[in-house]
Amino acid sequence: MQMMRKKRITDLILILGGTFLLAVSVEMFILPYNILSGGVAGLAVALEPFFHFDKLMFANISVIGLFVAGSFVLGKDFARNTLISSLAYPLFTTILSRHPVDLTIEPLLASFYAGLLGGAGIGLVMRTGASTGGMDIPPLIIHKLTGAKVSTLVMITDALTVMAGIIAYDLSAALLGLISVMASGFAIQRVLEAGQGVHVKNVQIISDHWEEIKKEIETTINRGTTLIDVQGGYTGTKRKMLLCVVSELQYVQLTDVIRRIDPQAFVIITDTSDMLGEGFTYSSPNI
């Protein structure tokens, strides 16, 4: 019970902190520099030249409106996971707009930092299993009604925003917005991966000298292995395959061992972004 309460408090802090970073990104960079980023703020920037509305008011109303629409169509689970961020976002942006920071930098840097801050904020919220809502909601609604792929719908939504921006501004503005989108994606990925393990390599080894390789891995690299029975599809030959997961630092040692013992070994290497278990999520002096 106490663990659950602690997790809820931690999640609340992450959601509020992430939403605040997103609001800072919008108020300090996206709206002042008219950056065509993703989200409701980027949409406000793209449409403002056509309708001449207050960009902040449009963004805040859009967040609330989309949340209400999403709650009706997508259900209670969506509403529960999006409620806090959807309410905190307009609150934070309104407070920040009343205390503006006089910041003058190059638009290129503004776009970059907008993406980093906004992406970090979104990543923090996503780590709790929640959502910031906003322009993620229309693709989800259309997906539920039509069955179309969410990824395709998100691309279409972003493309329409960029097209409107090109018409309202020019191509250079759209390219500048692309920097923000790329920086945001980078930051989201880094925040989601932080503290979740290490980058490792999954190595599968098929060799007639598997016993010797196995022993060398265990003694020299200090890694365990898993033995898997395999059979050649063409020859029908039965043999053992070694499965071994190593850190990036140990990967070079492993390839040296394989080349030394059996240069003809068949080796499959797969990059793995995360690994949970002994020797990876628990400390090991040999990694």
PDB file of all heavy atoms in Angstrom, residues 195-198 200 222-223 247 250 274-287:
ATOM      1  N   GLY A 195      17.898   5.302 -17.109  1.00  0.00           N
ATOM      2  CA  GLY A 195      17.718   4.491 -15.918  1.00  0.00           C
ATOM      3  C   GLY A 195      17.053   3.149 -16.155  1.00  0.00           C
ATOM      4  O   GLY A 195      16.771   2.413 -15.216  1.00  0.00           O
ATOM      5  N   GLN A 196      16.801   2.798 -17.424  1.00  0.00           N
ATOM      6  CA  GLN A 196      16.089   1.556 -17.707  1.00  0.00           C
ATOM      7  C   GLN A 196      17.012   0.388 -18.025  1.00  0.00           C
ATOM      8  O   GLN A 196      16.564  -0.695 -18.352  1.00  0.00           O
ATOM      9  CB  GLN A 196      15.136   1.778 -18.898  1.00  0.00           C
ATOM     10  CG  GLN A 196      14.065   2.799 -18.618  1.00  0.00           C
ATOM     11  CD  GLN A 196      13.186   2.396 -17.463  1.00  0.00           C
ATOM     12  OE1 GLN A 196      12.646   1.297 -17.429  1.00  0.00           O
ATOM     13  NE2 GLN A 196      13.036   3.276 -16.494  1.00  0.00           N
ATOM     14  N   GLY A 197      18.306   0.607 -17.942  1.00  0.00           N
ATOM     15  CA  GLY A 197      19.256  -0.455 -18.253  1.00  0.00           C
ATOM     16  C   GLY A 197      20.419   0.082 -19.048  1.00  0.00           C
ATOM     17  O   GLY A 197      20.751   1.252 -18.953  1.00  0.00           O
ATOM     18  N   VAL A 198      21.054  -0.750 -19.841  1.00  0.00           N
ATOM     19  CA  VAL A 198      22.206  -0.337 -20.630  1.00  0.00           C
ATOM     20  C   VAL A 198      22.017  -0.814 -22.061  1.00  0.00           C
ATOM     21  O   VAL A 198      21.233  -1.713 -22.334  1.00  0.00           O
ATOM     22  CB  VAL A 198      23.509  -0.929 -20.066  1.00  0.00           C
ATOM     23  CG1 VAL A 198      23.825  -0.360 -18.712  1.00  0.00           C
ATOM     24  CG2 VAL A 198      23.430  -2.446 -19.991  1.00  0.00           C
ATOM     25  N   VAL A 200      22.976  -2.968 -24.962  1.00  0.00           N
ATOM     26  CA  VAL A 200      23.664  -4.248 -25.013  1.00  0.00           C
ATOM     27  C   VAL A 200      23.524  -4.853 -26.399  1.00  0.00           C
ATOM     28  O   VAL A 200      22.770  -4.362 -27.242  1.00  0.00           O
ATOM     29  CB  VAL A 200      23.100  -5.226 -23.955  1.00  0.00           C
ATOM     30  CG1 VAL A 200      23.346  -4.714 -22.550  1.00  0.00           C
ATOM     31  CG2 VAL A 200      21.601  -5.456 -24.176  1.00  0.00           C
ATOM     32  N   ASN A 222      33.482 -13.388 -18.448  1.00  0.00           N
ATOM     33  CA  ASN A 222      32.648 -13.482 -17.239  1.00  0.00           C
ATOM     34  C   ASN A 222      31.169 -13.258 -17.550  1.00  0.00           C
ATOM     35  O   ASN A 222      30.464 -12.547 -16.842  1.00  0.00           O
ATOM     36  CB  ASN A 222      33.125 -12.490 -16.175  1.00  0.00           C
ATOM     37  CG  ASN A 222      32.550 -12.811 -14.798  1.00  0.00           C
ATOM     38  OD1 ASN A 222      32.223 -13.962 -14.509  1.00  0.00           O
ATOM     39  ND2 ASN A 222      32.406 -11.806 -13.962  1.00  0.00           N
ATOM     40  N   ARG A 223      30.725 -13.873 -18.627  1.00  0.00           N
ATOM     41  CA  ARG A 223      29.319 -13.828 -19.018  1.00  0.00           C
ATOM     42  C   ARG A 223      28.753 -15.234 -19.116  1.00  0.00           C
ATOM     43  O   ARG A 223      29.466 -16.175 -19.489  1.00  0.00           O
ATOM     44  CB  ARG A 223      29.146 -13.117 -20.363  1.00  0.00           C
ATOM     45  CG  ARG A 223      29.060 -11.620 -20.261  1.00  0.00           C
ATOM     46  CD  ARG A 223      27.732 -11.232 -19.671  1.00  0.00           C
ATOM     47  NE  ARG A 223      27.699  -9.837 -19.317  1.00  0.00           N
ATOM     48  CZ  ARG A 223      27.091  -9.344 -18.266  1.00  0.00           C
ATOM     49  NH1 ARG A 223      26.459 -10.143 -17.435  1.00  0.00           N
ATOM     50  NH2 ARG A 223      27.085  -8.067 -18.008  1.00  0.00           N
ATOM     51  N   SER A 247      27.604  -6.396 -22.854  1.00  0.00           N
ATOM     52  CA  SER A 247      27.612  -4.941 -22.963  1.00  0.00           C
ATOM     53  C   SER A 247      28.427  -4.542 -24.188  1.00  0.00           C
ATOM     54  O   SER A 247      29.160  -5.356 -24.770  1.00  0.00           O
ATOM     55  CB  SER A 247      28.232  -4.319 -21.702  1.00  0.00           C
ATOM     56  OG  SER A 247      29.614  -4.608 -21.644  1.00  0.00           O
ATOM     57  N   GLN A 250      32.084  -5.231 -23.782  1.00  0.00           N
ATOM     58  CA  GLN A 250      32.476  -6.635 -23.854  1.00  0.00           C
ATOM     59  C   GLN A 250      32.339  -7.218 -25.254  1.00  0.00           C
ATOM     60  O   GLN A 250      32.870  -8.300 -25.531  1.00  0.00           O
ATOM     61  CB  GLN A 250      31.621  -7.459 -22.884  1.00  0.00           C
ATOM     62  CG  GLN A 250      31.874  -7.128 -21.425  1.00  0.00           C
ATOM     63  CD  GLN A 250      30.882  -7.828 -20.515  1.00  0.00           C
ATOM     64  OE1 GLN A 250      29.717  -7.967 -20.864  1.00  0.00           O
ATOM     65  NE2 GLN A 250      31.339  -8.250 -19.351  1.00  0.00           N
ATOM     66  N   ASP A 274      17.769  -2.184 -24.351  1.00  0.00           N
ATOM     67  CA  ASP A 274      17.574  -2.334 -22.920  1.00  0.00           C
ATOM     68  C   ASP A 274      17.715  -3.794 -22.534  1.00  0.00           C
ATOM     69  O   ASP A 274      17.455  -4.693 -23.327  1.00  0.00           O
ATOM     70  CB  ASP A 274      16.183  -1.827 -22.519  1.00  0.00           C
ATOM     71  CG  ASP A 274      16.076  -1.553 -21.033  1.00  0.00           C
ATOM     72  OD1 ASP A 274      17.122  -1.518 -20.368  1.00  0.00           O
ATOM     73  OD2 ASP A 274      14.939  -1.381 -20.552  1.00  0.00           O
ATOM     74  N   MET A 275      18.142  -4.006 -21.289  1.00  0.00           N
ATOM     75  CA  MET A 275      18.288  -5.365 -20.781  1.00  0.00           C
ATOM     76  C   MET A 275      18.031  -5.352 -19.296  1.00  0.00           C
ATOM     77  O   MET A 275      18.616  -4.552 -18.563  1.00  0.00           O
ATOM     78  CB  MET A 275      19.707  -5.877 -21.067  1.00  0.00           C
ATOM     79  CG  MET A 275      19.943  -7.289 -20.581  1.00  0.00           C
ATOM     80  SD  MET A 275      18.979  -8.506 -21.511  1.00  0.00           S
ATOM     81  CE  MET A 275      19.241  -9.968 -20.530  1.00  0.00           C
ATOM     82  N   LEU A 276      17.150  -6.208 -18.829  1.00  0.00           N
ATOM     83  CA  LEU A 276      16.852  -6.309 -17.417  1.00  0.00           C
ATOM     84  C   LEU A 276      17.333  -7.651 -16.907  1.00  0.00           C
ATOM     85  O   LEU A 276      17.116  -8.676 -17.544  1.00  0.00           O
ATOM     86  CB  LEU A 276      15.340  -6.167 -17.171  1.00  0.00           C
ATOM     87  CG  LEU A 276      14.688  -4.887 -17.685  1.00  0.00           C
ATOM     88  CD1 LEU A 276      13.184  -4.921 -17.425  1.00  0.00           C
ATOM     89  CD2 LEU A 276      15.304  -3.670 -17.031  1.00  0.00           C
ATOM     90  N   GLY A 277      17.976  -7.674 -15.768  1.00  0.00           N
ATOM     91  CA  GLY A 277      18.425  -8.936 -15.206  1.00  0.00           C
ATOM     92  C   GLY A 277      19.786  -8.831 -14.570  1.00  0.00           C
ATOM     93  O   GLY A 277      20.433  -7.782 -14.586  1.00  0.00           O
ATOM     94  N   GLU A 278      20.250  -9.926 -14.004  1.00  0.00           N
ATOM     95  CA  GLU A 278      21.521  -9.942 -13.286  1.00  0.00           C
ATOM     96  C   GLU A 278      22.674  -9.582 -14.205  1.00  0.00           C
ATOM     97  O   GLU A 278      22.787 -10.081 -15.312  1.00  0.00           O
ATOM     98  CB  GLU A 278      21.755 -11.330 -12.679  1.00  0.00           C
ATOM     99  CG  GLU A 278      22.988 -11.397 -11.805  1.00  0.00           C
ATOM    100  CD  GLU A 278      23.124 -12.742 -11.123  1.00  0.00           C
ATOM    101  OE1 GLU A 278      22.231 -13.584 -11.298  1.00  0.00           O
ATOM    102  OE2 GLU A 278      24.129 -12.932 -10.425  1.00  0.00           O
ATOM    103  N   GLY A 279      23.512  -8.700 -13.718  1.00  0.00           N
ATOM    104  CA  GLY A 279      24.652  -8.261 -14.501  1.00  0.00           C
ATOM    105  C   GLY A 279      24.364  -7.035 -15.339  1.00  0.00           C
ATOM    106  O   GLY A 279      25.274  -6.423 -15.898  1.00  0.00           O
ATOM    107  N   PHE A 280      23.082  -6.653 -15.454  1.00  0.00           N
ATOM    108  CA  PHE A 280      22.722  -5.473 -16.229  1.00  0.00           C
ATOM    109  C   PHE A 280      21.976  -4.469 -15.362  1.00  0.00           C
ATOM    110  O   PHE A 280      22.394  -3.324 -15.214  1.00  0.00           O
ATOM    111  CB  PHE A 280      21.892  -5.868 -17.459  1.00  0.00           C
ATOM    112  CG  PHE A 280      22.702  -6.607 -18.467  1.00  0.00           C
ATOM    113  CD1 PHE A 280      22.695  -7.998 -18.500  1.00  0.00           C
ATOM    114  CD2 PHE A 280      23.501  -5.926 -19.371  1.00  0.00           C
ATOM    115  CE1 PHE A 280      23.454  -8.685 -19.420  1.00  0.00           C
ATOM    116  CE2 PHE A 280      24.276  -6.608 -20.294  1.00  0.00           C
ATOM    117  CZ  PHE A 280      24.248  -7.990 -20.325  1.00  0.00           C
ATOM    118  N   THR A 281      20.843  -4.869 -14.780  1.00  0.00           N
ATOM    119  CA  THR A 281      20.140  -3.963 -13.885  1.00  0.00           C
ATOM    120  C   THR A 281      20.720  -4.018 -12.484  1.00  0.00           C
ATOM    121  O   THR A 281      20.430  -3.177 -11.653  1.00  0.00           O
ATOM    122  CB  THR A 281      18.648  -4.313 -13.828  1.00  0.00           C
ATOM    123  OG1 THR A 281      18.511  -5.711 -13.556  1.00  0.00           O
ATOM    124  CG2 THR A 281      17.966  -3.992 -15.127  1.00  0.00           C
ATOM    125  N   TYR A 282      21.532  -5.065 -12.212  1.00  0.00           N
ATOM    126  CA  TYR A 282      22.238  -5.137 -10.932  1.00  0.00           C
ATOM    127  C   TYR A 282      23.715  -4.862 -11.213  1.00  0.00           C
ATOM    128  O   TYR A 282      24.214  -5.174 -12.287  1.00  0.00           O
ATOM    129  CB  TYR A 282      22.074  -6.519 -10.283  1.00  0.00           C
ATOM    130  CG  TYR A 282      20.650  -6.949 -10.212  1.00  0.00           C
ATOM    131  CD1 TYR A 282      20.220  -8.130 -10.793  1.00  0.00           C
ATOM    132  CD2 TYR A 282      19.701  -6.139  -9.583  1.00  0.00           C
ATOM    133  CE1 TYR A 282      18.900  -8.519 -10.737  1.00  0.00           C
ATOM    134  CE2 TYR A 282      18.370  -6.527  -9.520  1.00  0.00           C
ATOM    135  CZ  TYR A 282      17.981  -7.718 -10.099  1.00  0.00           C
ATOM    136  OH  TYR A 282      16.672  -8.094 -10.044  1.00  0.00           O
ATOM    137  N   SER A 283      24.379  -4.301 -10.246  1.00  0.00           N
ATOM    138  CA  SER A 283      25.753  -3.882 -10.469  1.00  0.00           C
ATOM    139  C   SER A 283      26.664  -5.067 -10.713  1.00  0.00           C
ATOM    140  O   SER A 283      26.517  -6.130 -10.127  1.00  0.00           O
ATOM    141  CB  SER A 283      26.277  -3.112  -9.237  1.00  0.00           C
ATOM    142  OG  SER A 283      26.241  -3.924  -8.098  1.00  0.00           O
ATOM    143  N   SER A 284      27.640  -4.859 -11.599  1.00  0.00           N
ATOM    144  CA  SER A 284      28.644  -5.875 -11.883  1.00  0.00           C
ATOM    145  C   SER A 284      29.954  -5.173 -12.177  1.00  0.00           C
ATOM    146  O   SER A 284      29.995  -4.288 -13.021  1.00  0.00           O
ATOM    147  CB  SER A 284      28.229  -6.728 -13.085  1.00  0.00           C
ATOM    148  OG  SER A 284      29.280  -7.592 -13.446  1.00  0.00           O
ATOM    149  N   PRO A 285      31.039  -5.508 -11.510  1.00  0.00           N
ATOM    150  CA  PRO A 285      32.296  -4.812 -11.711  1.00  0.00           C
ATOM    151  C   PRO A 285      32.941  -5.096 -13.042  1.00  0.00           C
ATOM    152  O   PRO A 285      33.899  -4.444 -13.423  1.00  0.00           O
ATOM    153  CB  PRO A 285      33.175  -5.355 -10.571  1.00  0.00           C
ATOM    154  CG  PRO A 285      32.625  -6.726 -10.305  1.00  0.00           C
ATOM    155  CD  PRO A 285      31.153  -6.609 -10.531  1.00  0.00           C
ATOM    156  N   ASN A 286      32.395  -6.063 -13.790  1.00  0.00           N
ATOM    157  CA  ASN A 286      33.046  -6.461 -15.040  1.00  0.00           C
ATOM    158  C   ASN A 286      32.450  -5.817 -16.270  1.00  0.00           C
ATOM    159  O   ASN A 286      32.823  -6.121 -17.371  1.00  0.00           O
ATOM    160  CB  ASN A 286      32.968  -7.989 -15.193  1.00  0.00           C
ATOM    161  CG  ASN A 286      33.684  -8.695 -14.066  1.00  0.00           C
ATOM    162  OD1 ASN A 286      34.875  -8.479 -13.873  1.00  0.00           O
ATOM    163  ND2 ASN A 286      32.967  -9.505 -13.298  1.00  0.00           N
ATOM    164  N   ILE A 287      31.451  -4.944 -16.074  1.00  0.00           N
ATOM    165  CA  ILE A 287      30.812  -4.317 -17.231  1.00  0.00           C
ATOM    166  C   ILE A 287      31.426  -2.952 -17.455  1.00  0.00           C
ATOM    167  O   ILE A 287      31.567  -2.193 -16.529  1.00  0.00           O
ATOM    168  CB  ILE A 287      29.304  -4.190 -17.013  1.00  0.00           C
ATOM    169  CG1 ILE A 287      28.693  -5.571 -16.886  1.00  0.00           C
ATOM    170  CG2 ILE A 287      28.642  -3.452 -18.154  1.00  0.00           C
ATOM    171  CD1 ILE A 287      27.222  -5.583 -16.648  1.00  0.00           C
TER     172      ILE A 287
END
